[in-house]
Amino acid sequence: MTRASLDKQPHEVASMFDDVAEKYDLTNDVLSLGQDRVWRKQVARAVDARPAQKILDLAAGTATSSLPFAQTGAYVVPCDFSIGMLRVGKRNHPHLPLTAGDATRLPFKDDVFDAVTISFGLRNVQQTETALRELYRVTKPGGRVVICEFSHPTWTPFRTVYTEYLMRALPPVARAVSSNPDAYVYLAESIRAWPDQPALAALLQKAGWSNVAWRNLTGGVVALHRGFKA
């Protein structure tokens, strides 16, 4: 079993997600205490997909996150660099155009999508700024980006409890439900090392996105960032 390190070598990260693909959605449900479903609903509202719009769902994994966009009548492209995830996604959702792609070298032309979104995947990309520029490149002028990512709880006592959960409770729970529990040790470490809400907003602005803002979910355990392409 592969466990990625915090330098996020692409082959290590992809292999790690290949290992957890079969039970990925179940494990997320258990570890988030069901909150992942709430977060997905908030992403869908923020993206606000409309019929005939083109939506890129990057780091889509098994494409569970893509379903709300498809249900609006939009044309959604689930994209991921884990072939194992894509295989599971294609088996479960054969009607979706699952696509293999690297966030730092997206296999799409300029100005294609009305909206681009990535949930819990940007943290696993080795070059965050490159990925944000790539998302900007493939978005139509006037289009939008929505990023859902683990972040930093805003209330100090809760932040302390949350950090303890990540480092102490998460690994044994992962051992009970995941095919690769070491992957969830990496998950906990990568969350702790991830920039806070203002820092990610600054990276978005640096990549060219305008009107950048964010909203905290579950007390800042997760943050929803959005921006627009002028």
Side-chain angles (χ1 to χ4, degrees):
M1 294 294 182
T2 300
R3 177 199 183 283
S5 56
L6 287 182
D7 63 0
K8 302 172 188 176
Q9 293 297 321
H11 67 281
E12 290 183 355
V13 177
S15 181
M16 181 183 71
F17 280 102
D18 289 346
D19 289 342
V20 301
E22 287 293 340
K23 295 184 178 180
Y24 183 72
D25 292 325
L26 169 63
T27 305
N28 285 347
D29 261 354
V30 172
L31 293 179
S32 71
L33 307 178
Q35 285 295 297
D36 60 316
R37 300 184 186 195
V38 176
W39 299 332
R40 279 200 297 271
K41 288 180 181 178
Q42 293 299 323
V43 171
R45 289 176 185 168
V47 171
D48 192 25
R50 304 292 175 88
Q53 284 189 337
K54 294 180 180 177
I55 311 295
L56 172 62
D57 186 14
L58 187 57
T62 61
T64 298
S65 60
S66 304
L67 295 177
F69 310 127
Q71 289 163 0
T72 68
Y75 178 77
V76 58
V77 178
C79 182
D80 203 284
F81 73 163
S82 164
I83 301 302
M85 287 284 202
L86 292 172
R87 284 189 182 125
V88 173
K90 195 64 179 176
R91 185 183 69 212
N92 294 339
H93 313 294
H95 61 291
L96 294 177
L98 284 91
T99 303
D102 185 332
T104 63
R105 295 187 302 275
L106 291 173
F108 309 109
K109 294 181 179 179
D110 298 354
D111 306 329
V112 171
F113 295 99
D114 296 283
V116 294
T117 183
I118 179 169
S119 294
F120 309 110
L122 188 61
R123 193 186 69 259
N124 299 315
V125 177
Q126 189 176 39
Q127 298 170 318
T128 304
E129 292 183 40
T130 302
L132 292 175
R133 287 195 298 269
E134 274 290 271
L135 286 170
Y136 186 88
R137 178 183 67 78
V138 303
T139 302
K140 294 178 181 179
R144 56 208 179 276
V145 64
V146 175
I147 297 171
C148 185
E149 188 53 88
F150 289 110
S151 198
H152 295 245
T154 53
W155 189 44
T156 302
F158 177 54
R159 185 163 60 241
T160 302
V161 171
Y162 173 64
T163 303
E164 289 295 308
Y165 168 73
L166 280 178
M167 300 313 296
R168 295 190 181 185
L170 190 149
V173 172
R175 277 194 291 274
V177 295
S178 173
S179 55
N180 184 5
D182 281 348
Y184 290 88
V185 177
Y186 158 82
L187 171 72
E189 293 174 350
S190 66
I191 291 171
R192 291 182 67 180
W194 184 244
D196 64 10
Q197 292 89 324
L200 180 55
L203 290 176
L204 277 159
Q205 291 169 330
K206 187 177 180 181
W209 297 98
S210 59
N211 297 325
V212 173
W214 74 84
R215 181 160 56 93
N216 290 318
L217 305 178
T218 319
V221 168
V222 164
L224 208 57
H225 284 70
R226 65 109 172 102
F228 295 88
K229 182 173 179 175

